[in-house]
Amino acid sequence: MKRQNLGDLNMYLFEQLERLNEPDMKEGQKQWELERSRAVANLASQVVAAGQLALRAEKAYDRNEAINAKMPEMLEADTADKIE
């Protein structure tokens, strides 16, 4: 399943939290889940930061649209569709 929006990211983060709270988890599995959680959190931070950048760029573009500003291609909303 493709997950490409912040709602999906939020759901994934809560799924990871549920795995961490599993009471029957063995110690080795718990350590693995902790490492996985750190990696997920780091990636989630990067996704959120990229979203914030795109939003700031969109706001700046909207403010300057009257002077024929051009949005850089890498910041256009459909760029995610090109990354696969």
Side-chain angles (χ1 to χ4, degrees), residues 16-60:
Q16 185 63 33
L17 183 60
E18 288 173 7
R19 283 191 290 275
L20 285 174
N21 286 323
E22 181 63 41
D24 299 329
M25 194 182 307
K26 294 182 174 139
E27 189 60 35
Q29 187 180 5
K30 189 180 289 187
Q31 288 300 323
W32 187 85
E33 285 294 343
L34 284 171
E35 289 178 30
R36 179 180 174 173
S37 294
R38 287 185 188 105
V40 167
N42 286 334
L43 289 170
S45 293
Q46 294 301 311
V47 169
V48 170
Q52 289 172 335
L53 174 61
L55 180 60
R56 286 195 312 266
E58 185 67 31
K59 287 179 179 179

Side-chain angles (χ1 to χ4, degrees), residues 2 4 70-84:
K2 274 188 177 177
Q4 295 186 351
K70 181 173 178 347
M71 178 76 73
E73 185 176 327
M74 69 176 280
L75 296 179
E76 290 179 355
D78 65 347
T79 304
D81 295 335
K82 297 176 185 175
I83 301 172
E84 289 188 35

